Amino acid sequence: YHPDKQEADVPAGEVEERVQRFIEVDQAWKILGNEETKKEYDLQQRADNLTKDWPVHEQIYLEDMSWNEDEQVYTLSCRCGGNYSVFKSEIKDVSVVCCDTCSLVIEILR
């Protein structure tokens, strides 16, 4: 799909499709080739997949979760006995959290 490697007899519409595909691959490489942007992408994908796969059980404000200063983590008990956990370093990147024991999901409101 590289624009510099196009054959001379390719129809114009197909050339445009190939150039567009090259641009998409280049953009993906720029995101996935950088550790920080890859982490953001992975977190967003995980959040999107969680809300698609499992409906949100409850919406919770971060302030309503328990704060553990030593571990720098917010936690909330799940009805199954497990916990929802959000580390301070993840707060701005995370909007949904899965229970560590069951499949229930909560959405963090800000």
Side-chain angles (χ1 to χ4, degrees), residues 51-88:
T51 55
K52 286 179 195 169
D53 294 341
W54 298 302
V56 172
H57 169 66
E58 196 171 355
Q59 293 179 319
I60 301 290
Y61 285 99
L62 194 60
E63 304 85 53
D64 294 334
M65 298 179 78
S66 300
W67 171 246
N68 182 315
E69 184 70 35
D70 295 334
E71 296 181 25
Q72 297 285 295
V73 65
Y74 289 92
T75 59
L76 179 73
S77 295
C78 180
R79 67 182 186 193
C80 75
N83 286 304
Y84 301 100
S85 301
V86 182
F87 287 93
K88 184 178 180 181

Side-chain angles (χ1 to χ4, degrees), residues 28-45:
W29 173 249
K30 287 176 182 173
I31 291 170
L32 299 177
N34 177 297
E35 273 305 310
E36 287 185 33
T37 55
K38 182 182 183 312
K39 180 179 175 184
E40 290 174 28
Y41 175 83
D42 289 344
L43 287 170
Q44 183 60 48
Q45 288 295 100

